[in-house]
Amino acid sequence: MTELDRGSALAAGDAPRPGEVWLVGAGPGDPSLLTLRAAEALRRADLVLHDALPGRGVLRLANPLATLVPAGKRKGAAPLSQAKINARLVAGARAGQRVVRLKGGDPFLFARGGEEAAALTAAGIPWRVVPGVSAGLAAPAAAGIPLTQRGIASAVTFVTGHDEAGNLPDSVDWAALGRGGGTVVAFMALSRLDEIALRLLAAGRAPETPVAIVAQASLPGQCTLRTTLGRCSLATRAAGLPTPALVVVGEVAGLAATLLPGLEDVAGSEAALQAGKRA
């Protein structure tokens, strides 16, 4: 079937209306990376259900009279199940509240925004989406890593490092990613980095392939561990990187120091991080 849809999930107005839910992307964490529409939605909201990733700086932009409800998930643990989040969104809208579902990064990229949109549609609740700056783009950029570079990488694959049960997703064709030469960007992958590295190596990626792990991108504690596919598992454990962190695999991960002289001192390499731990 062929269909032309002239509608849009983007709102025509500047803020949620009573009885409406907005799925809002908070970006990677720095409040200045919010879109203008996202900031206005927070200022006008009556109820904000927020993930763990949007920090206090972002939440300070919310209406001081709004009810803030933590609804984040970390390694499978969550104060609210997804079903309860969906129910709270529906209940808030039916009570006539202006509801914002604040999600780290972009609502529709590894953020379960599609599931929430489906639940709202099934309940007859009007909803809109405010796109956010995904960590998949923001973290490499903050570390000076171009995901594509002419003559080096002309393709990027975004993957998640674990499924709902916390296991490495079987739905990802790791063998194809290992055979390919493009950039792989893995979300929520630190706990499964051993398995990811082994799968990519088994499929043909060279042990010397550059890897960068960007932790707390755009936040004051940002740091970047630059290593290789063959060493990344041990190096990451030794460095004790904070979370959230994003993994970049591919030749572009080794370009940062070349493109931005002095980045080594700012972002940290494997050697620099190890020296800091010994000090």
Side-chain angles (χ1 to χ4, degrees):
M1 182 181 71
T2 301
E3 183 177 349
L4 176 63
D5 184 0
R6 297 188 182 277
S8 174
L10 289 172
D14 292 327
R17 294 184 289 269
E20 192 171 63
V21 176
W22 278 27
L23 308 174
V24 176
D30 183 342
S32 67
L33 294 178
L34 280 174
T35 64
L36 295 175
R37 182 164 289 180
E40 182 62 21
L42 284 171
R43 284 193 288 267
R44 298 279 295 276
D46 301 312
L47 172 65
V48 179
L49 276 77
H50 62 89
D51 281 352
L53 294 177
R56 285 175 292 179
V58 173
L59 294 176
R60 287 192 195 102
L61 299 176
N63 175 2
L65 299 179
T67 300
L68 304 182
V69 178
K73 303 177 184 68
R74 286 292 179 88
K75 293 186 177 180
L80 293 177
S81 67
Q82 189 61 53
K84 289 182 178 179
I85 291 172
N86 296 344
R88 188 68 184 269
L89 294 174
V90 170
R94 286 178 173 166
Q97 293 181 304
R98 298 175 174 89
V99 183
V100 165
R101 175 68 173 105
L102 188 66
K103 309 178 80 67
D106 181 87
F108 278 3
L109 185 58
F110 300 129
R112 305 187 73 166
E115 297 174 47
E116 291 167 357
L120 293 168
T121 298
I125 302 297
W127 57 272
R128 299 290 185 269
V129 178
V130 178
V133 180
S134 170
L137 301 175
I145 300 169
L147 292 182
T148 62
Q149 181 84 347
R150 187 165 54 178
I152 297 177
S154 57
V156 183
T157 303
F158 296 100
V159 298
T160 179
H162 61 75
D163 59 18
E164 288 187 17
N167 301 316
L168 197 66
D170 289 330
S171 58
V172 175
D173 191 342
W174 298 102
L177 294 179
R179 292 191 300 269
T183 305
V184 177
V185 178
F187 292 69
M188 302 167 285
L190 282 190
S191 62
R192 291 286 175 252
L193 189 55
D194 292 7
E195 297 171 76
I196 292 172
L198 286 173
R199 297 242 188 150
L200 296 178
L201 288 166
R205 287 267 177 148
E208 297 78 21
T209 301
V211 171
I213 299 105
V214 187
Q216 296 190 340
S218 82
L219 298 174
Q222 176 180 319
C223 60
T224 303
L225 173 67
R226 288 190 291 279
T227 180
T228 63
L229 191 59
R231 290 179 52 83
C232 62
S233 297
L234 290 175
T236 302
R237 278 197 290 271
L241 294 176
T243 57
L246 187 111
V247 179
V248 182
V249 180
E251 296 304 319
V252 295
L255 292 178
T258 302
L259 295 177
L260 296 176
L263 187 65
E264 184 92 2
D265 296 329
V266 176
S269 64
E270 182 180 339
L273 284 171
Q274 290 306 311
K277 288 176 70 66
R278 290 193 297 269

